[in-house]
Amino acid sequence: MGLLSSFRSFDAYTKPLEDFRIKTASGGLVTVLAAIVIIGLSVSETLSYLQLQVVEQLFVDSTTSDERVPINFDIRFHRLPCALVTIDVMDVSSDNQVDIEHDIFKVRLDKEGKTIVEAPLKLVVNQNTTTVSTGEATTPKCGSCYGALPDGSCCNTCDEVKEAYQLKGWQVNLESVEQCKNDEWLKLLRDHKEEGCRVYGRVNVSKVAGNFHIAPGDPFRTLRAHVHDLHSLDAGSFDCAHSIDHLSFGTHWPDKDYPLDGSTHDEHKGGVMYQYYVKVVPTSYHSIDGQSTHSHQFSVTTHRKVVGGGVSGLPGLFVQYEFSPLMVMYEERQAPLSAFLVNLCAIIGGVFTVASLIDSFIYSGHRVLAQKMNLNKLG
């Protein structure tokens, strides 16, 4: 008892006698409200403490450019037949990327978007070949050159009509040329009229700026240029309207929203070049259990233009991507227990302090009013 008594001199919380304590209804109300506020804030602080904090940091990307980045996509073309679809991957210098690992398939769709053939057909990247038109409808004795050559000149085959128009610098409409009615590409357009195509899969590209595009025509290289042979068909014959069900760079990130997923792009006419300029940011996510996920985020700007009629370009879908030199790192962290306890103490002490001030103000105001009322009665 003597030891305990010696601590009385250190007591900073002196207690008045019970007889000198005054309890009021307003004080009880303020106390109840303060207790409710303390409980609410304490529960909120506890839930916040139990949740993991995700800290974002920015670094210079020091990974090698030899690293391969997978591009995952699932795209549906509404009115472009699979028989006409090709895919190419190129780097910033417009050279085809070589030794590309890919796993890409295409599936025929009807005009309602339903699958015609269940078995998908594998699509080869960077074919760089062109087909030769075969099959002539008729070979008249002296076929018309349709004004491309002087009167009396004969164009007996489809190729001769094309050459005559090329000399003039004109665009030939194969559908109106008798010699070209059995042209292979015209037959493909007729046989697969109102068909669509679903193109999906994955392609691994080098970590340098470049583009991949899905477009009609036979691709091939001439000098330093990459071109598509549309076999003299007008660009307006190819309607590349599409829906992007999924497009991502890198490893799949759970619960990650990608900006182009679920978007539809349809100008309701052919000959449109759909371009997507993508800025890719390397990203890593480090969970609290030590696991790391390396992937990529991206932002996108869209642009479209109608080609043909003197406007250069190629109908199709073009994704031009560029990798950022900076890397974003997300790290899961657990708040320290000491910070949680400090915050709880701050909540309890702060609320009680404010409540005591409010109670003192109410009590003092009530006493002043009561004294004035008593003086008025006496007067």
Side-chain angles (χ1 to χ4, degrees), residues 216-286:
D218 286 329
F220 65 96
R221 292 196 61 80
T222 169
L223 298 179
R224 297 285 295 175
H226 173 88
V227 297
H228 282 237
D229 183 6
L230 298 182
H231 296 266
S232 300
L233 291 171
D234 184 76
S237 303
F238 305 96
D239 189 344
C240 298
H242 58 276
S243 295
I244 301 177
D245 295 324
H246 179 69
L247 176 65
S248 65
F249 291 76
T251 307
H252 176 66
W253 196 330
D255 302 324
K256 173 65 180 174
D257 295 327
Y258 298 99
L260 288 175
D261 285 13
S263 60
T264 297
H265 309 266
D266 191 349
E267 294 294 309
H268 301 285
K269 60 183 177 182
V272 180
M273 184 177 185
Y274 298 89
Q275 296 173 292
Y276 302 92
Y277 299 94
V278 177
K279 189 73 171 181
V280 185
V281 181
T283 306
S284 62
Y285 193 97
H286 301 272

Side-chain angles (χ1 to χ4, degrees), residues 84 162 171-175 180 183-189 229-238 315:
L84 309 178
K162 292 179 182 179
Q171 177 69 37
V172 60
N173 183 5
L174 297 186
E175 298 179 14
C180 297
D183 182 85
E184 182 180 354
W185 274 66
L186 273 179
K187 290 175 65 177
L188 286 175
L189 284 174
D229 183 6
L230 298 182
H231 296 266
S232 300
L233 291 171
D234 184 76
S237 303
F238 305 96

Side-chain angles (χ1 to χ4, degrees), residues 28-342:
L29 179 60
V30 170
T31 303
V32 171
L33 292 177
I36 293 174
V37 171
I38 288 174
I39 292 173
L41 292 178
S42 298
V43 171
S44 175
E45 181 65 27
T46 303
L47 293 177
S48 176
Y49 168 72
L50 295 176
Q51 290 180 347
L52 296 176
Q53 299 178 351
V54 179
V55 180
E56 180 178 345
Q57 302 178 66
L58 203 61
F59 297 95
V60 174
D61 185 12
S62 59
T63 57
T64 175
S65 61
D66 294 333
E67 177 185 346
R68 293 285 179 167
V69 177
I71 302 178
N72 311 288
F73 57 90
D74 189 349
I75 301 171
R76 289 179 290 115
F77 291 91
H78 306 312
R79 294 177 289 275
L80 184 65
C82 282
L84 309 178
V85 169
T86 61
I87 181 169
D88 295 277
V89 180
M90 308 170 64
D91 59 23
V92 68
S93 63
S94 297
D95 288 331
N96 287 0
Q97 292 197 14
V98 297
D99 299 328
I100 294 178
E101 296 181 10
H102 64 278
D103 199 15
I104 304 173
F105 300 91
K106 58 182 179 180
V107 178
R108 293 171 58 194
L109 304 175
D110 62 18
K111 62 180 180 180
E112 302 296 333
K114 298 179 181 178
T115 302
I116 296 176
V117 180
E118 293 292 340
L121 179 65
K122 186 153 188 176
L123 192 58
V124 179
V125 176
N126 294 340
Q127 295 184 62
N128 289 331
T129 58
T130 185
T131 58
V132 179
S133 298
T134 59
E136 304 294 336
T138 56
T139 306
K141 292 181 179 179
C142 185
S144 172
C145 293
Y146 301 90
L149 294 180
D151 293 341
S153 301
C154 298
C155 296
N156 295 330
T157 66
C158 184
D159 287 338
E160 290 178 355
V161 175
K162 292 179 182 179
E163 290 173 3
Y165 267 68
Q166 188 175 5
L167 291 175
K168 279 284 188 179
W170 295 351
Q171 177 69 37
V172 60
N173 183 5
L174 297 186
E175 298 179 14
S176 62
V177 177
E178 181 69 25
Q179 293 91 320
C180 297
K181 285 192 174 179
N182 278 350
D183 182 85
E184 182 180 354
W185 274 66
L186 273 179
K187 290 175 65 177
L188 286 175
L189 284 174
R190 288 195 298 263
D191 294 343
H192 300 282
K193 188 177 181 180
E194 295 185 340
E195 279 191 18
C197 186
R198 177 191 175 200
V199 183
Y200 65 95
R202 171 190 56 81
V203 57
N204 292 340
V205 300
S206 299
K207 200 173 178 180
V208 294
N211 82 82
F212 80 91
H213 55 267
I214 305 173
D218 286 329
F220 65 96
R221 292 196 61 80
T222 169
L223 298 179
R224 297 285 295 175
H226 173 88
V227 297
H228 282 237
D229 183 6
L230 298 182
H231 296 266
S232 300
L233 291 171
D234 184 76
S237 303
F238 305 96
D239 189 344
C240 298
H242 58 276
S243 295
I244 301 177
D245 295 324
H246 179 69
L247 176 65
S248 65
F249 291 76
T251 307
H252 176 66
W253 196 330
D255 302 324
K256 173 65 180 174
D257 295 327
Y258 298 99
L260 288 175
D261 285 13
S263 60
T264 297
H265 309 266
D266 191 349
E267 294 294 309
H268 301 285
K269 60 183 177 182
V272 180
M273 184 177 185
Y274 298 89
Q275 296 173 292
Y276 302 92
Y277 299 94
V278 177
K279 189 73 171 181
V280 185
V281 181
T283 306
S284 62
Y285 193 97
H286 301 272
S287 59
I288 198 168
D289 58 3
Q291 295 184 355
S292 299
T293 302
H294 299 278
S295 186
H296 295 76
Q297 302 180 85
F298 68 91
S299 60
V300 60
T301 302
T302 62
H303 176 70
R304 61 198 64 179
K305 69 175 181 178
V306 179
V307 300
V311 180
S312 63
L314 176 70
L317 180 151
F318 294 77
V319 178
Q320 302 188 33
Y321 52 86
E322 180 181 358
F323 290 90
S324 170
L326 299 178
M327 171 183 285
V328 178
M329 185 182 76
Y330 296 98
E331 184 178 2
E332 292 182 348
R333 294 180 182 177
Q334 178 68 61
L337 179 61
S338 59
F340 170 65
L341 295 177
V342 168

